[in-house]
């Protein structure tokens, strides 16, 4: 009897990922046909479809995968489920780098801004990790609090610079976390984050071992510091590129990995496809809600993500407290 039940469970498990892929593919197709502009009524509908709708949907898919996987990597490297780029100050550092690029070298193109933002995100993540190593962590809740405080300091300095240079309004528009401005010719750098997801899948086992701690990783022959450096670099590039193209996407890297881990456990390699599908599904659903809830106006996807992410974050905190 138990053998039959086991075979049935394995059969359902085998079909779960293809079914989830089909469901997410349906959301992707739906995203292509949601918007104020009626594609079938006007003679320019075909051009609008390829210039605006397709790039926007591709950007949603790439950004959803990138930020979800970045959150998963950060949680393993820090050994804490409450961290992701927006709770470690990484996104704020990327914003500072982008603003400095505009102030000091306004003629730099999108690729140059992406590189500078990624470098600042990398440095900011190293600062966060360096502070963690010097603080006695008695509670897992202290880790995201440190990241949020560091991010607040950097964000305050960025705002001061923006006010001093009359770029405050532009700063708010950049980091709103909206896909409204994504069109053909302005999203292609996001393909870089697709490469990052592939690299993360290749070195997933080393991240998993590093997530067990430095002593365990070193004892099995894994170069702990090198793995930390690779993981930090991947997160920094993903955060920098996403920040430059679409702005902040808060809590996406927090919500998706935790939901996947609660359902499937902590095997990084087998979880990455689910994390990608989950990230794409959540960001597309939030984007569709933002586009239809006050049509013809549009609510930024970051606002919807912030509401959903805050609710999940509080739920995780309450679960942590109930477990003691």
């Amino acid at each position: 009897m138990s053998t039959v039940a086991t075979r049935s469970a394995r059969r359902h498990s085998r079909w779960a990922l293809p079914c989830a892929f089909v469901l997410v593919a349906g959301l992707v197709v739906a995203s292509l046909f949601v918007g104020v502009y009626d594609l079938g009524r006007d003679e320019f509908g075909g051009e609008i479809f390829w210039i605006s709708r397709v790039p926007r949907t591709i950007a949603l898919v790439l950004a959803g995968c990138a930020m979800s996987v970045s959150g998963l990597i950060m949680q393993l490297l820090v050994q804490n489920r409450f961290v992701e780029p927006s709770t470690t100050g990484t996104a704020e550092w990327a914003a500072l780098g982008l603003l400095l690029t505009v102030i000091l070298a306004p003629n730099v193109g999108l690729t140059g801004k992406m590189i500078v933002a990624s470098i600042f995100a990398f440095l900011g993540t190293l600062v966060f990790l360096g502070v963690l190593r010097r603080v006695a962590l008695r509670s897992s809740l202290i880790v995201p609090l440190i990241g949020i405080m560091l991010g607040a300091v950097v964000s305050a300095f960025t705002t001061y610079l923006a006010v001093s240079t009359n770029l405050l309004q532009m700063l708010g528009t950049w980091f709103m976390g909206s896909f409204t401005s994504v069109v053909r010719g302005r999203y292609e750098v996001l393909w870089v984050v697709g490469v990052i997801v592939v690299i993360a899948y290749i070195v997933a086992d080393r991240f998993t071992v590093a997530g067990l701690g430095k002593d365990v990783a070193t004892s099995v022959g894994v170069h702990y510091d090198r793995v930390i450096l690779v993981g930090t670099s991947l997160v920094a590039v993903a955060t920098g590129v996403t920040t430059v193209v679409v702005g902040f996407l808060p809590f996406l890297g927090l919500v998706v990995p935790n939901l996947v881990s609660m359902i499937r456990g902590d095997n990084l390699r087998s979880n990455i496809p689910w994390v990608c599908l989950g990230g794409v599904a959540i960001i597309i659903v939030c984007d569709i809600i933002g586009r239809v809830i006050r049509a013809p106006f549009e609510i930024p996807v970051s606002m919807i993500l912030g509401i959903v992410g805050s609710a999940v974050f509080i739920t995780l905190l309450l679960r942590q407290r109930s477990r003691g």
Side-chain angles (χ1 to χ4, degrees):
M1 188 68 179
S2 61
T3 305
V4 175
T6 302
R7 288 178 179 174
S8 177
R10 288 179 178 174
R11 193 180 304 118
H12 285 100
S13 176
R14 191 181 306 129
W15 284 102
L17 187 60
C19 290
F21 180 82
V22 172
L23 179 62
V24 174
L27 290 173
V28 170
V29 173
S31 173
L32 291 171
F33 296 96
V34 174
V36 176
Y37 195 90
D38 190 344
L39 297 175
R41 181 176 296 179
D42 198 290
E43 61 177 322
F44 299 107
E47 294 183 29
I48 294 295
F49 181 78
W50 292 108
I51 293 175
S52 176
R53 297 288 177 83
V54 171
R56 178 174 183 143
T57 301
I58 293 176
L60 283 165
V61 171
L62 293 173
C65 291
M67 298 313 295
S68 301
V69 172
S70 295
L72 182 62
I73 294 174
M74 284 294 295
Q75 289 168 19
L76 276 175
L77 298 183
V78 184
Q79 302 176 47
N80 190 292
R81 293 191 181 280
F82 299 106
V83 300
E84 61 114 19
S86 67
T87 60
T88 59
T90 305
E92 285 78 4
W93 278 90
L96 176 61
L98 180 56
L99 180 63
L100 288 175
T101 306
V102 174
I103 294 174
L104 301 177
N107 295 325
V108 170
L110 200 62
T111 303
K113 294 175 182 174
M114 177 194 74
I115 293 174
V116 175
S118 299
I119 292 174
F120 271 74
F122 178 74
L123 294 175
T125 308
L126 289 182
V127 170
F128 171 70
L129 294 176
V131 172
L132 282 187
R133 291 187 177 185
R134 288 167 173 77
V135 175
L137 301 176
R138 299 182 180 180
S139 169
S140 59
L141 300 180
I142 294 178
V143 177
L145 287 178
I146 291 174
I148 291 171
M149 287 188 291
L150 289 174
V153 172
V154 176
S155 180
F157 181 66
T158 305
T159 303
Y160 169 75
L161 280 181
V163 171
S164 304
T165 53
N166 293 323
L167 292 174
L168 185 59
Q169 185 175 359
M170 188 178 294
L171 184 71
T173 304
W174 283 340
F175 307 131
M176 190 178 294
S178 173
F179 289 81
T180 307
S181 60
V182 175
V183 293
R184 189 171 63 193
R186 198 183 178 278
Y187 82 98
E188 284 78 1
V189 293
L190 273 175
W191 286 108
V192 173
V193 301
V195 177
I196 290 175
V197 173
V198 173
I199 295 174
Y201 185 79
I202 293 173
V203 295
D205 293 336
R206 294 184 180 274
F207 287 144
T208 302
V209 175
L212 299 176
K214 185 173 183 178
D215 295 337
V216 175
T218 305
S219 66
V220 297
V222 172
H223 197 300
Y224 180 79
D225 292 332
R226 186 180 300 167
V227 174
I228 293 293
L229 190 63
V230 171
T232 304
S233 302
L234 295 179
V235 172
V237 174
T239 305
V241 173
T242 307
T243 300
V244 170
V245 178
V246 298
F248 292 157
L249 297 175
F251 296 116
L252 188 61
L254 174 71
V255 172
V256 178
N258 276 289
L259 291 178
V260 172
S261 295
M262 283 192 291
I263 297 172
R264 294 180 45 81
D266 294 322
N267 189 317
L268 175 60
R269 183 177 294 280
S270 66
N271 281 353
I272 282 183
W274 287 97
V275 168
C276 290
L277 290 175
V280 173
I282 288 179
I283 198 170
I284 285 183
V285 168
C286 290
D287 184 65
I288 290 176
I289 291 174
R291 278 192 270 181
V292 302
I293 196 171
R294 279 189 55 97
F297 303 104
E298 186 172 323
I299 297 176
V301 67
S302 62
M303 188 178 296
I304 310 293
L305 278 174
I307 296 172
V308 175
S310 301
V312 174
F313 188 68
I314 292 172
T315 303
L316 292 172
L317 291 177
L318 294 176
R319 280 171 56 92
Q320 181 85 0
R321 182 178 180 182
S322 64
R323 290 177 179 176

